[in-house]
Amino acid sequence: MANHDIRVLNDLIETTIDSAEGYAEAASETQSPRFNFTFRERASERRLVATRLQQKVEELGGTPEDDGSVLASAHRMFTNLRKSLHDETAVIDEVERGEDHIKHKFEDALDDEDVSPPTHALIADAYRSVRSGHEQMRGLKRAAHKTQ
């Protein structure tokens, strides 16, 4: 069971690192001080989530992921292209789309009946942060589209 938990956690770590990097990049690109603060805050929160997941992998005797995915790098390149159009709403749309992805990854892990109860509890705790970020970005997206 430990090997399965390690695989599931490492998958979540990779996605969480991708999310933190995406938020940091969005913060550096936004012109809005409010969005800059929000994105930096979320990036920091995601780094903490990744650290907690990495610590659990180490406790289980595994080697934790410490890098994001290649797919996320490609997604950031696409986001950079859209940002070059100076469309802040497009940036918010991309951030919210990333939130959909991480939310689904955590939900799939929570539904995995082969994950041990202690690991499931950790994932559930981390999911609260993910769900909060998703709701916040969904709200920003709705507000941005109303002002257009």
Side-chain angles (χ1 to χ4, degrees):
M1 192 176 300
N3 285 338
H4 182 71
D5 284 9
I6 290 168
R7 278 193 301 278
V8 169
L9 289 169
N10 273 333
D11 187 46
L12 293 177
I13 291 165
E14 186 176 83
T15 302
T16 304
I17 290 170
D18 289 344
S19 177
E21 290 174 357
Y23 272 122
E25 189 166 329
S28 71
E29 296 295 329
T30 186
Q31 310 252 329
S32 163
R34 182 179 126 219
F35 291 154
N36 180 289
F37 176 79
T38 299
F39 295 157
R40 286 189 190 287
E41 190 174 67
R42 285 289 169 192
S44 177
E45 183 180 349
R46 293 293 159 83
R47 285 186 202 101
L48 289 173
V49 168
T51 298
R52 286 198 315 259
L53 298 175
Q54 289 167 326
Q55 289 169 343
K56 183 65 174 177
V57 168
E58 287 175 348
E59 281 177 34
L60 294 170
T63 303
E65 284 291 330
D66 62 358
D67 202 6
S69 69
V70 173
L71 181 60
S73 296
H75 181 257
R76 280 192 294 279
M77 285 175 43
F78 175 72
T79 302
N80 284 337
L81 176 63
R82 290 184 74 171
K83 283 189 275 196
S84 69
L85 303 173
H86 304 295
D87 182 357
E88 196 149 83
T89 302
V91 174
I92 293 168
D93 288 349
E94 289 303 310
V95 170
E96 198 267 342
R97 193 173 84 161
E99 282 299 296
D100 285 342
H101 177 71
I102 192 172
K103 181 176 175 272
H104 290 297
K105 293 283 267 193
F106 271 82
E107 289 170 347
D108 287 348
L110 287 170
D111 290 341
D112 186 334
E113 294 178 4
D114 294 329
V115 170
S116 71
T119 297
H120 186 273
L122 175 65
I123 293 168
D125 184 54
Y127 177 68
R128 284 189 271 289
S129 166
V130 168
R131 191 177 60 230
S132 170
H134 180 268
E135 290 169 4
Q136 183 181 28
M137 292 309 116
R138 186 177 56 207
L140 284 177
K141 179 180 175 180
R142 287 179 180 158
H145 283 277
K146 284 182 184 177
T147 61
Q148 287 186 333

